[in-house]
Amino acid sequence: MRTLIVTAFVSLDGVMEGPGGEPGYRNSGWTFKDVEFDEAAYEIKGREQEETTALLLGRKSYEAFAPVWPTMEEFAEYNAMPRYVVSTKLEGDDDRWPATILRSLDDVAALKETEGGPIAVHGSATLGRSLADAGLVDRYHLLVFPLLLGAGKRLWSDADKDTTKLQLVEHEAYGNGIQKQVFDVVK
């Protein structure tokens, strides 16, 4: 069974919206506008590219990434691997960044049953919440920023559900206040 990893930049209050400057969010760009850059904090992002064998995205993140990521040299490994998009609305993939469209969480569960290495979910707040609520997430790679953003899309849903236990398997704090937290979901 393949490991499904949700990877995210997240504020201390759980917001993951607009970290890179995406339009339409009040605090957009908070990862670089509000916290001093420390290259060491991003080591996990390079490691993710080396260890990941496929990307899984929600429709909105796919539509935002498809015009940009294929031209970015720093994402060469991601651009070379298979991509999957979970969407009931997407008519077809983007020729600039081809992907396989999955129509349901059952399709994601079936993908996890295939041979291969880890699958990473980037961005995709709505998808990440749905995957967690369905018990499909195996690991979280979080860079937690020392910010309280208030309103915004959150990493986790507010669904009334049983406790999900996590095991901290890696962590580090950096001089700029960012914390790396890697959790396995205890099943």
Side-chain angles (χ1 to χ4, degrees):
M1 177 175 291
R2 299 173 83 169
T3 302
L4 186 63
I5 302 167
V6 170
T7 178
F9 298 125
V10 64
S11 67
L12 191 58
D13 56 349
V15 174
M16 62 179 289
E17 184 171 355
E22 299 79 0
Y25 175 58
R26 176 184 179 157
N27 294 314
S28 189
W30 49 270
T31 58
F32 60 88
K33 288 182 183 175
D34 298 322
V35 177
E36 180 182 335
F37 181 76
D38 182 345
E39 186 175 345
Y42 297 91
E43 171 275 335
I44 192 168
K45 301 321 252 171
R47 190 166 20 123
E48 285 171 353
Q49 274 197 81
E50 294 170 7
E51 297 172 357
T52 299
T53 60
L55 286 175
L56 180 66
L57 303 164
R59 178 185 55 84
K60 290 180 184 175
S61 291
Y62 176 70
E63 290 175 339
F65 294 171
V68 179
W69 279 32
T71 64
M72 299 177 75
E73 290 180 27
E74 61 267 33
F75 294 146
E77 289 91 348
Y78 285 137
N79 291 326
M81 66 182 64
R83 286 170 293 285
Y84 300 89
V85 181
V86 181
S87 174
T88 57
K89 296 179 182 178
L90 197 62
E91 299 275 331
D93 66 341
D94 187 316
D95 290 340
R96 295 171 290 186
W97 213 45
T100 300
I101 300 171
L102 305 177
R103 297 295 181 192
S104 69
L105 293 180
D106 288 339
D107 291 344
V108 175
L111 175 63
K112 283 186 63 173
E113 294 292 329
T114 63
E115 293 292 321
I119 303 165
V121 179
H122 283 269
S124 308
T126 302
L127 175 61
R129 288 190 300 271
S130 296
L131 293 167
D133 289 348
L136 294 172
V137 177
D138 300 298
R139 177 173 272 201
Y140 289 97
H141 286 186
L142 307 177
L143 286 180
V144 181
F145 285 69
L147 302 168
L148 299 174
L149 297 175
K153 292 179 185 174
R154 307 233 174 242
L155 179 56
W156 294 282
S157 78
D158 59 0
D160 185 12
K161 60 181 182 177
D162 292 338
T163 301
T164 300
K165 293 183 182 182
L166 304 174
Q167 179 181 3
L168 183 65
V169 295
E170 184 180 341
H171 65 91
E172 190 165 348
Y174 303 95
N176 60 359
I178 293 175
Q179 295 178 40
K180 172 178 62 181
Q181 300 175 357
V182 177
F183 292 98
D184 281 342
V185 176
V186 177
K187 297 189 179 195

